[in-house]
């Protein structure tokens, strides 16, 4: 299993409506992407981020389907413009020593095929995660 997480802090000028639209889009990902087995979206406590989401995905094929699903793309479109700091991470119980590189390759493939997404991520105040494009 792969537990794909996102932690983020919103821009100070994000309106309540923009925030709710972004959070609802994250929740929608969990509901409609077939490869997502379970998920949580909510407040992030105990660190420097305000919000977080975790999506449980069975394998790399499902991870790729998650990354390219239109619901995920919608979250990029409505969410990234209101995000200041963003971190993505993955935890897995798969013993494959190459799993991290394989996950990074999926992210890189997605960025390579979507210049608009790459531009959105590059414009964030701070981003860390697999294959982070731009100044990060």
């Amino acid at each position: 299993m792969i537990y794909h997480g996102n932690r983020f802090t919103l821009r100070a000028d994000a309106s309540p409506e923009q925030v709710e639209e972004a959070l609802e889009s994250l929740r929608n990902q969990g509901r409609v992407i077939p490869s997502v087995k379970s998920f949580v979206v909510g407040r992030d406590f105990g660190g420097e981020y305000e919000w977080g989401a975790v999506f449980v995905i069975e394998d790399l094929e499902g991870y790729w389907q998650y990354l390219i699903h239109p619901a995920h793309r919608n979250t990029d479109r409505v969410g990234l413009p209101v995000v200041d700091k963003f971190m993505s991470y993955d935890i897995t119980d798969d013993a494959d020593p190459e799993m991290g590189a394989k996950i990074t390759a999926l992210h890189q493939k997605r960025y390579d095929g979507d210049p608009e997404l790459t531009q959105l991520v590059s414009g964030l105040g701070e981003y860390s995660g697999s294959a982070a494009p731009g100044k990060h």
Side-chain angles (χ1 to χ4, degrees), residues 58-125:
E58 199 164 337
D59 54 25
L60 288 171
E61 182 178 333
Y63 198 111
W64 178 244
Q65 293 308 313
Y66 163 83
L67 286 174
I68 63 169
H69 194 280
H72 189 273
R73 186 63 182 98
N74 185 67
T75 300
D76 294 332
R77 184 183 62 77
V78 301
L80 290 174
V82 298
V83 168
D84 180 34
K85 279 182 12 180
F86 184 86
M87 166 202 254
S88 71
Y89 62 93
D90 297 285
I91 300 171
T92 183
D93 57 1
D94 191 305
D96 181 354
E98 299 298 317
M99 183 59 84
K102 291 175 181 178
I103 289 171
T104 296
L106 291 180
H107 283 276
Q108 189 62 59
K109 179 179 174 183
R110 182 169 177 246
Y111 290 128
D112 290 347
D114 191 340
E116 182 182 350
L117 170 64
T118 301
Q119 185 174 358
L120 283 170
V121 171
S122 295
L124 295 174

Side-chain angles (χ1 to χ4, degrees), residues 11-85:
R11 294 169 41 116
D13 62 351
S15 73
E17 295 80 18
Q18 289 173 306
V19 172
E20 183 50 37
E21 181 180 22
L23 294 173
E24 179 53 30
S25 188
L26 276 169
R27 290 187 287 265
N28 188 57
Q29 284 179 204
R31 290 189 296 262
V32 304
I33 299 176
S35 62
V36 173
K37 303 304 177 193
S38 66
F39 72 98
V40 62
V41 174
R43 287 283 186 178
D44 186 328
F45 298 104
E48 60 188 82
Y49 297 93
E50 298 172 322
W51 296 94
V54 177
F55 299 91
V56 180
I57 303 165
E58 199 164 337
D59 54 25
L60 288 171
E61 182 178 333
Y63 198 111
W64 178 244
Q65 293 308 313
Y66 163 83
L67 286 174
I68 63 169
H69 194 280
H72 189 273
R73 186 63 182 98
N74 185 67
T75 300
D76 294 332
R77 184 183 62 77
V78 301
L80 290 174
V82 298
V83 168
D84 180 34
K85 279 182 12 180

